[in-house]
Amino acid sequence: MNLYNIKDNSEQVSFAQAVRQGLGRDQGLFFPEVIAPLADVDALLDLPLAERSARIISHLLGDEVPAAKVSELINAAFTFPAPLVKLKDGTYALELFHGPTLAFKDFGGRFMAQCLAAFRTNDKITILTATSGDTGAAVAHAFYGLEGIEVVILYPKGKISPLQEKLFCTLGGNIRTIAIDGDFDACQALVKQAFDDEALKKAIGLNSANSINISRLLAQVCYYFEAVAQLPKADRAKAVISVPSGNFGNLTAGLIAKALGLPVKRFIAATNANDTVPRYLKTGQWEPHQTVATLSNAMDVSRPNNWPRVEELCRRKGWALETLGSGMRNDADTRDALKRLHQLDYLCEPHGAIAWDLLGEQLAEDEVGIFLCTAHPAKFKESVDEILGLDVPLPAPLAKHAELPLLSVNLPAEFAGLRAFLLA
Ligand SMILES: Cc1ncc(COP(=O)(O)O)c(C=O)c1O
């Protein structure tokens, strides 16, 4: 597979290079040079998730990675299902939260971890990342137990929820966690200093588990096929998919699936009050506002970093941007949508609820609607409990970790201490 840097097309890399490098020159995103339609989508849709996904990824990667190796990576990464659940109103929820950290990030994170382990060139790799809560869990669980890869995660001491902390600070093994005396910005600044330190970088094979990594997107393409595969055959050509969007990686993956020949009629880009894209699609003006905090906090992004990939693909395919559905919901709408979903006997969380509400608004009578449920309701327990008057039980993976002792060390927000820790 050849990829090029969207900002500087002369920079071309293989898939393995793109996985290792993350970003191209000038912070440019890598994008596949060719996305050829799949030969027999109907036959593929009849296959089980892992087998179908391996074929899709293999088709995209071409002869760079042998098909048997791709199957191995996918089988190790996709160890959980993505069920399509029919709601009483006739729409479908694609539940992407049945992985170890209860969010859609498990698909991309686990596949990326497998790829990095498979394509590493250094003797040693150290993944260093800062988290304000959720990314730490996804990264830690994705890399846990992978030979030759050390993971170090920094987080602000006392500033993440006790449960979030338990989820990634109790693993041990190749996962080391550091509670920093400072806020999230201080953690991020330390990570940045580490990446600026060439000697350190070389000594420990420093790498980031950046969410912009192309391997994550390719993994996400696979669950769009899984959604359509679970629809009744007669409905497959009528699917409209509503995607809760922040950085727009999820939507990019959906559009790649469509470019591969998945029969999706339309996508809806669903945002919260951070609605740069819906406003842009309406007015043609790219005018990011100051980011505001919302109930769907993982989508609190006003400068979505995957948007250039959406534009690039639409340009190449000749798809007018205006054909993309979009819309925004504020916190009051989100609360109301969560309540109405609960009346339909479906327990959701704020991100999925926004996608469902916009789907309801924009779905035509002859269409079949799917909305993506990107996180388990228990991951947003505080707001879900408060809005619905419930006490959402913890699913088994969270409950299990809640009982284990914390293994984190504590460090001040000073680079010298972190450097010594990393080199020890
Ligand atoms: C729960 C949840 N929903 C939706 C999103 C938005 O996905 P994307 O950033 O790919 O648009 C995120 C992103 O982190 C998320 O964590």
Side-chain angles (χ1 to χ4, degrees):
M1 174 189 235
N2 273 339
L3 299 105
Y4 60 93
N5 178 337
I6 290 179
K7 277 197 180 161
D8 174 358
N9 295 0
S10 70
E11 185 181 9
Q12 311 237 339
V13 291
S14 66
F15 177 66
Q17 278 173 300
V19 169
R20 284 195 299 266
Q21 226 174 295
L23 267 178
R25 274 199 289 274
D26 201 17
Q27 311 277 307
L29 301 167
F30 289 122
F31 202 72
E33 201 172 77
V34 177
I35 303 176
L38 287 151
D40 193 349
V41 172
D42 283 341
L44 267 182
L45 290 174
D46 289 337
L47 297 176
L49 170 66
E51 192 180 341
R52 179 192 324 113
S53 302
R55 293 216 194 167
I56 295 166
I57 300 286
S58 205
H59 168 82
L60 282 164
L61 299 189
D63 53 16
E64 185 181 336
V65 187
K69 184 70 190 170
V70 174
S71 293
E72 206 182 287
L73 303 178
I74 289 288
N75 285 330
F78 291 6
T79 50
F80 48 91
L84 191 71
V85 176
K86 189 168 187 178
L87 269 59
K88 280 185 180 164
D89 66 353
T91 61
Y92 293 85
L94 180 70
E95 295 188 343
L96 299 171
F97 52 73
H98 295 280
T101 70
L102 311 174
F104 77 115
K105 286 186 182 169
D106 284 325
F107 282 93
R110 287 170 68 81
F111 182 62
M112 177 182 163
Q114 292 297 325
C115 288
L116 259 182
F119 306 142
R120 69 166 187 255
T121 48
N122 286 351
D123 291 340
K124 184 178 177 185
I125 294 183
T126 303
I127 304 286
L128 179 66
T129 191
T131 183
S132 55
D134 278 346
T135 301
V139 169
H141 285 260
F143 286 89
Y144 180 58
L146 286 185
E147 219 173 288
I149 302 187
E150 287 290 316
V151 176
V152 179
I153 302 171
L154 313 187
Y155 64 99
K157 187 173 180 210
K159 294 193 174 68
I160 68 174
S161 82
L163 255 173
Q164 280 178 319
E165 189 176 23
K166 286 276 186 169
L167 197 52
F168 69 96
C169 301
T170 54
L171 289 167
N174 63 328
I175 311 297
R176 290 183 292 164
T177 51
I178 309 179
I180 296 288
D181 295 327
D183 56 16
F184 175 62
D185 288 334
C187 297
Q188 260 189 322
L190 287 170
V191 170
K192 201 168 167 298
Q193 269 181 290
F195 277 93
D196 285 342
D197 184 331
E198 289 301 327
L200 176 70
K201 233 161 108 175
K202 210 162 163 221
I204 63 170
L206 211 52
N207 205 310
S208 83
N210 204 303
S211 65
I212 222 75
N213 200 290
I214 189 72
S215 59
R216 290 197 175 203
L217 287 190
L218 299 194
Q220 289 176 256
V221 168
C222 300
Y223 57 63
Y224 285 92
F225 280 82
E226 179 65 1
V228 175
Q230 291 178 63
L231 280 177
K233 280 197 174 150
D235 287 343
R236 282 183 182 167
K238 304 179 197 163
V240 174
I241 305 185
S242 183
V243 185
S245 298
N247 261 325
F248 281 76
N250 224 347
L251 186 76
T252 308
L255 291 168
I256 294 176
K258 188 173 164 75
L260 284 168
L262 186 70
V264 178
K265 241 184 116 178
R266 240 160 358 103
F267 288 97
I268 299 171
T271 75
N272 60 27
N274 298 289
D275 61 344
T276 309
V277 167
R279 283 187 289 108
Y280 173 63
L281 292 175
K282 218 170 275 163
T283 65
Q285 304 296 316
W286 185 261
E287 285 174 340
H289 294 162
Q290 182 72 36
T291 306
V292 294
T294 72
L295 283 170
S296 48
N297 59 306
M299 307 200 302
D300 291 350
V301 180
S302 51
R303 296 171 193 274
N305 54 19
N306 268 302
W307 185 253
R309 282 178 166 144
V310 172
E311 291 209 335
E312 181 72 358
L313 183 57
C314 289
R315 183 190 63 74
R316 269 175 40 182
K317 297 296 293 181
W319 295 336
L321 277 180
E322 301 75 58
T323 57
L324 202 57
S326 73
M328 81 85 152
R329 289 293 183 257
N330 64 26
D331 275 358
D333 305 325
T334 308
R335 298 172 80 88
D336 185 56
L338 271 174
K339 287 183 189 158
R340 282 182 288 118
L341 270 166
H342 196 226
Q343 282 159 10
L344 294 173
D345 291 333
Y346 193 71
L347 185 60
C348 200
E349 54 69 51
H351 306 77
I354 288 177
W356 171 76
D357 204 23
L358 281 155
L359 183 66
E361 176 193 87
Q362 300 185 13
L363 197 67
E365 249 180 37
D366 59 342
E367 294 173 333
V368 173
I370 296 173
F371 64 105
L372 302 194
C373 290
T374 41
H376 191 287
K379 281 206 102 170
F380 293 89
K381 183 172 164 54
E382 287 82 5
S383 28
V384 173
D385 282 359
E386 184 263 314
I387 294 164
L388 300 178
L390 298 175
D391 180 11
V392 177
L394 292 179
L398 277 182
K400 181 180 87 188
H401 286 279
E403 303 302 319
L404 298 173
L406 290 175
L407 301 172
S408 302
V409 299
N410 182 204
L411 286 180
E414 288 165 10
F415 183 58
L418 174 65
R419 193 175 196 279
F421 177 90
L422 291 171
L423 287 169

